[in-house]
């Protein structure tokens, strides 16, 4: 990466630019390689987003097998009930309902509407509710008032950043529920088809969501924040040439000082407990 930076192939502002600046640069069609959710989210013009393809898993001298990490579809969330709640049973039902398959679809895209019937719910400040339908075999959302879906969700629907607890939204789950297997809309085809062709055959479940006891979780959190901050800062310095690569041993020594070995031990214990209960 330092070699790429030295040769002008990594944006010199990469480590300091804001999310808005990052998105703006991608939309200008000046990025050859960038991390993004889907090209059409950043580039509305088909002539532009169709030029981008998902990067297949790579190999190296350290790894001769193509692997793409697949995250768990069960999200670790947070749910709290006030100590003086008058309806704790109802609050538990709210948490429980998020673990059924339809919940993430309702959360992200609203109720499904079909011909002759419109299902919707209402959000304060809007006269209409968010709902979704099926077009060319793919789901699409219809936010009220013409507002963009990614402007609507974070500000009007999501109870907290990151989505619901429980299952993550999944196209296969949606297809199974509504029986839709037709062709996807063009913008979805542009990235889902090559993704399924070049990436999906190489997916492998990465380390699962781990659960630690309260005291061990507190210890783990105490280690990971300074460790993560240090790694990000040191990485940028190494790549930009602010820190000589010859000082890599000092980098490892500082990680030990910050408690990397204790942190890894806590994670290993949680992983062993997970595997023992499979």
């Amino acid at each position: 990466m330092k070699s790429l930076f030295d040769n002008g192939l990594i944006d010199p502002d990469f480590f300091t630019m804001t999310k808005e600046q990052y998105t703006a640069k991608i939309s200008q069609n000046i990025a050859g390689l960038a991390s993004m959710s889907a090209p059409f989210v950043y580039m509305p013009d088909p002539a532009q987003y169709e030029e981008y393809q998902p990067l297949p898993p790579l190999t190296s001298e350290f790894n001769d097998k193509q692997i793409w990490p697949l995250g768990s579809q069960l999200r670790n969330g947070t749910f709290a009930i006030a100590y003086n709640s008058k309806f704790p049973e109802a609050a538990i039902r709210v948490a429980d309902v998020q673990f059924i398959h339809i919940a993430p679809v309702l959360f992200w895209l609203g109720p499904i509407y079909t011909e002759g019937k419109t299902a919707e719910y209402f959000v304060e400040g809007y006269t209409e509710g968010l709902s979704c339908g099926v077009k060319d075999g793919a789901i699409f959302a219809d936010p009220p008032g013409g507002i963009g879906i990614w402007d609507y969700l974070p500000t009007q629907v999501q109870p907290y950043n990151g989505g619901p607890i429980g299952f993550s939204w999944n196209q296969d789950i949606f297809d199974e529920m509504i029986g839709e297997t037709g062709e996807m809309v063009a913008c979805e085809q542009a990235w889902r088809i090559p993704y399924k062709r070049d990436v999906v055959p190489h997916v492998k479940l990465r380390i699962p969501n781990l659960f630690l006891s309260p005291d061990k979780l507190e210890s783990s959190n105490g280690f990971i924040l300074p460790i993560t901050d240090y790694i990000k800062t040191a990485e940028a310095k190494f790549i930009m040439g602010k820190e000589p690569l010859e000082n890599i041993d000092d980098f490892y020594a500082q990680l030990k000082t910050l408690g990397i070995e204790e942190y890894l031990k806590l994670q290993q214990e949680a992983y062993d407990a997970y595997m023992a209960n499979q």
Side-chain angles (χ1 to χ4, degrees):
M1 291 185 71
K2 183 179 185 305
S3 177
L4 294 174
F5 187 87
D6 291 343
N7 284 279
L9 297 177
I10 294 181
D11 193 308
D13 299 324
F14 179 78
F15 295 101
T16 57
M17 71 176 75
T18 64
K19 181 180 179 180
E20 291 73 21
Q21 291 171 326
Y22 182 83
T23 301
K25 288 198 175 187
I26 293 177
S27 66
Q28 294 171 26
N29 207 28
I30 59 175
L33 176 67
S35 174
M36 60 181 83
S37 53
F40 68 85
V41 175
Y42 300 83
M43 314 163 193
D45 184 359
Q48 186 178 0
Y49 67 66
E50 288 177 357
E51 299 237 345
Y52 287 82
Q53 297 283 297
L55 181 69
L58 303 178
T59 59
S60 72
E61 60 181 302
F62 307 104
N63 176 48
D64 60 2
K65 184 179 180 180
Q66 289 179 282
I67 297 176
W68 188 261
L70 178 66
S72 172
Q73 285 196 307
L74 190 61
R75 187 190 302 270
N76 282 12
T78 302
F79 191 87
I81 302 175
Y83 75 94
N84 58 350
S85 171
K86 295 181 179 179
F87 308 103
E89 297 86 355
I92 288 294
R93 289 197 297 272
V94 171
D96 186 58
V97 77
Q98 296 188 63
F99 286 85
I100 62 174
H101 280 175
I102 189 62
V105 177
L106 294 173
F107 184 88
W108 287 109
L109 300 170
I112 304 166
Y113 62 79
T114 56
E115 185 176 355
K117 180 182 178 182
T118 299
E120 61 181 24
Y121 56 84
F122 297 94
V123 177
E124 184 177 356
Y126 289 91
T127 57
E128 302 173 81
L130 174 66
S131 54
C132 69
V134 180
K135 183 177 181 180
D136 297 329
I139 58 173
F140 70 96
D142 185 21
I147 186 174
I149 184 66
W150 292 108
D151 292 322
Y152 178 86
L153 286 174
T155 58
Q156 301 298 328
V157 180
Q158 293 193 34
Y160 55 87
N161 188 30
I165 60 177
F167 293 103
S168 298
W169 183 85
N170 181 285
Q171 179 71 45
D172 293 336
I173 293 176
F174 187 89
D175 291 344
E176 180 182 341
M177 288 188 299
I178 65 173
E180 286 289 338
T181 57
E183 289 296 317
M184 295 176 288
V185 291
C187 63
E188 292 281 354
Q189 289 188 50
W191 78 276
R192 285 190 185 272
I193 290 177
Y195 176 79
K196 289 184 177 181
R197 181 190 66 222
D198 300 331
V199 178
V200 170
H202 307 292
V203 298
K204 182 178 180 180
L205 186 65
R206 63 189 179 192
I207 188 169
N209 296 336
L210 300 177
F211 296 87
L212 286 74
S213 61
D215 58 326
K216 291 185 177 180
L217 180 61
E218 184 177 359
S219 296
S220 178
N221 289 340
F223 286 125
I224 193 57
L225 293 178
I227 287 174
T228 301
D229 289 343
Y230 174 69
I231 288 177
K232 288 182 178 179
T233 301
E235 179 186 49
K237 288 182 177 180
F238 280 128
I239 293 172
M240 299 176 69
K242 305 293 185 181
E243 186 77 25
L245 293 176
E246 291 76 18
N247 290 352
I248 191 70
D249 289 339
D250 295 336
F251 167 74
Y252 292 135
Q254 180 62 18
L255 284 179
K256 288 185 178 181
T257 300
L258 292 172
I260 186 71
E261 293 177 336
E262 292 87 344
Y263 171 77
L264 291 177
K265 182 180 179 181
L266 290 169
Q267 297 301 305
Q268 185 66 53
E269 290 174 352
Y271 179 73
D272 291 342
Y274 173 89
M275 295 302 295
N277 287 280
Q278 292 302 295

